[in-house]
């Protein structure tokens, strides 16, 4: 079946509930004009369905059964909708060169029994999903989860990490909105808890996908506490008492950084003791040290094992 090079201009094209049999179906270089093209509820048993270099404002394959290889390397496409479709083979969105001019890609609710060949950078995946106006945060999270599994299977681990981060961000925001919507009183604890997870899990380490970022966050926390130990004695009753000839020869600035290091790394030699209000800061730094070192270990080992 060939519509190769066909021009639909401003005519409406509908293939709703069609059944395509074996063989190849070609819409290569077809121009569908400015109308939406619908393949809703259609069954594709073809070996190959090609839309290579075709142009369309919107293509809808909602609730379709897609059993063949689909070439979606468009010349131009505003929206590709695969909502609730069943994929049993491969859909190809990665161009040979350059970026695909696809503005929106909706595959929420899709049953993926095949493969989605897509590239995070070339296809602008983040924009394709976040541009969706008719899907919820939970549906966006599900799409990022599907892509995470696809990238993992293809060995595209950098793209897998990016998909996983966006999946977690959408899921966390969705859970927050659901809790607040259920009961406005939940906002009292839901927002602080969300902020805590956003700061620790997201900003400090991108959900254990970036060990370098975790390491930098560790250095920031360590330096922050060291400066607090140095500054606090100038405003309130607090200080650091260090024994031993070596420690006594150090300036108080150096002692603050030394005490912060042995507290953050939970070494605890016992040669330096907190005085006054620093008693309240030291356990917090020790706890953060344990958490962040564990976080770094998880992120680092995850990278090495892959």
């Amino acid at each position: 079946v060939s519509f190769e090079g066909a021009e639909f201009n401003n005519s409406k094209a509908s293939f709703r509930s069609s059944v395509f049999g074996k063989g190849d179906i070609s819409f290569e270089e077809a121009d569908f004009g400015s109308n939406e093209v619908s393949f809703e509820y259609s069954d594709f048993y073809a070996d190959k369905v090609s839309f290579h270099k075709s142009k369309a404002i919107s293509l809808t394959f909602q609730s379709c059964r897609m059993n063949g290889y689909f070439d979606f390397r468009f010349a131009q496409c505003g929206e590709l909708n695969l909502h609730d479709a069943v994929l049993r083979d491969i859909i190809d969105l990665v161009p040979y060169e350059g970026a695909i001019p696809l503005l929106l890609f909706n595959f929420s609710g899709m049953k993926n029994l095949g493969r989605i060949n897509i590239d995070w950078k070339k296809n602008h995946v983040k924009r394709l999903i976040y541009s969706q106006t008719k899907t919820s945060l939970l549906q966006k999270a599900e799409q990022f989860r599907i892509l995470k599994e696809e990238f993992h299977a293809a060995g595209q681990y950098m793209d897998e990490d990016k998909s996983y981060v966006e999946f977690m961000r959408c899921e966390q925001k969705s859970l927050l909105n659901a809790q607040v919507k259920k009961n406005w009183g939940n906002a009292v604890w839901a927002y602080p808890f969300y902020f805590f997870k956003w700061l620790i899990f997201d900003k400090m380490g991108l959900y254990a996908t970036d060990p370098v970022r975790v390491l930098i966050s560790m250095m920031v926390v360590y330096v922050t506490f060291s400066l607090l130990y140095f500054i606090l004695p100038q405003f309130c009753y607090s200080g650091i008492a260090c024994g031993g000839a070596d420690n006594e020869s150090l300036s108080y600035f150096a002692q603050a950084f030394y005490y912060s290091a042995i507290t953050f790394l939970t070494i605890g030699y016992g040669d330096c003791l907190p005085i006054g209000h620093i008693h309240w800061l030291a356990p917090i730094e020790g706890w953060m040290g344990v958490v962040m070192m564990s976080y770094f270990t998880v992120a680092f080992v995850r990278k090495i094992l892959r």
Side-chain angles (χ1 to χ4, degrees):
V1 178
S2 178
F3 289 86
E4 184 174 348
E7 295 183 8
F8 291 80
N9 294 323
N10 293 322
S11 302
K12 183 177 180 180
S14 176
F15 297 86
R16 182 184 174 92
S17 301
S18 298
V19 179
F20 294 91
K22 293 289 185 179
D24 294 341
I25 302 171
S26 176
F27 289 91
E28 292 186 7
E29 300 185 15
D31 188 347
F32 292 98
S34 59
N35 288 308
E36 177 182 327
V37 184
S38 176
F39 289 88
E40 290 179 298
Y41 304 102
S42 294
D43 293 340
F44 293 89
Y45 298 98
D47 300 319
K48 179 180 179 181
V49 182
S50 177
F51 289 84
H52 187 59
K53 293 185 178 181
S54 63
K55 297 179 181 179
I57 296 297
S58 176
L59 282 172
T60 301
F61 291 85
Q62 181 174 336
S63 301
C64 288
R65 287 189 287 182
M66 308 168 73
N67 296 293
Y69 166 77
F70 281 74
D71 186 345
F72 286 138
R73 294 172 295 171
F74 305 105
Q76 180 182 345
C77 184
E79 178 181 1
L80 177 62
N81 185 357
L82 272 64
H83 176 65
D84 280 340
V86 179
L87 175 64
R88 296 184 180 276
D89 204 324
I90 298 174
I91 59 174
D92 193 356
L93 289 156
V94 179
Y96 291 114
E97 57 183 22
I100 293 180
L102 179 61
L103 302 180
L104 192 151
F105 179 35
N106 179 8
F107 54 102
S108 60
M110 186 179 74
K111 286 75 175 175
N112 183 20
L113 306 176
R115 288 284 308 277
I116 303 174
N117 190 23
I118 192 170
D119 185 273
W120 183 274
K121 184 177 180 180
K122 292 180 180 179
N123 293 102
H124 303 286
V125 171
K126 188 175 178 179
R127 186 205 67 199
L128 290 180
I129 296 178
Y130 279 119
S131 296
Q132 299 170 10
T133 58
K134 298 180 181 179
T135 55
S136 65
L137 281 171
L138 196 59
Q139 289 175 319
K140 290 180 174 66
E142 179 64 14
Q143 292 175 73
F144 281 120
R145 185 195 61 79
I146 291 173
L147 290 182
K148 171 191 172 296
E149 295 174 353
E150 287 295 314
F151 289 135
H152 180 79
Q156 297 170 256
Y157 298 124
M158 294 296 290
D159 291 346
E160 178 196 0
D161 288 345
K162 293 173 184 176
S163 298
Y164 177 66
V165 170
E166 298 305 326
F167 158 66
M168 290 300 296
R169 285 173 175 171
C170 289
E171 185 179 58
Q172 293 302 318
K173 289 180 182 177
S174 176
L175 290 174
L176 173 66
N177 293 340
Q179 289 166 347
V180 174
K181 186 177 180 180
K182 182 178 180 181
N183 187 344
W184 280 102
N186 292 336
V188 176
W189 61 266
Y191 279 102
F193 187 52
Y194 171 78
F195 176 77
F196 172 80
K197 292 189 291 183
W198 171 82
L199 180 62
I200 301 297
F201 300 126
D202 189 346
K203 293 305 176 183
M204 285 190 173
L206 292 178
Y207 295 98
T209 62
D210 191 344
V212 175
R213 190 179 183 123
V214 179
L215 192 60
I216 293 172
S217 299
M218 290 171 66
M219 292 302 299
V220 170
V221 171
Y222 160 68
V223 172
T224 300
F225 275 94
S226 299
L227 293 175
L228 285 173
Y229 296 149
F230 176 71
I231 295 171
L232 275 179
Q234 303 179 36
F235 298 95
C236 60
Y237 174 67
S238 58
I240 298 171
C242 292
D246 291 338
N247 290 332
E248 289 177 355
S249 64
L250 297 174
S251 65
Y252 185 75
F253 183 79
Q255 288 180 356
F257 274 79
Y258 171 71
Y259 176 73
S260 181
I262 62 176
T263 304
F264 184 83
L265 298 173
T266 64
I267 297 173
Y269 290 123
D271 54 347
C272 289
L273 300 174
I275 299 173
H277 293 85
I278 290 180
H279 275 108
W280 302 102
L281 282 178
I284 297 174
E285 184 184 15
W287 176 80
M288 292 192 70
V290 171
V291 171
M292 296 192 73
M293 285 188 291
S294 302
Y295 198 11
F296 173 76
T297 302
V298 171
F300 181 75
V301 170
R302 186 171 179 269
K303 289 286 185 181
I304 294 300
L305 289 180
R306 290 194 310 185

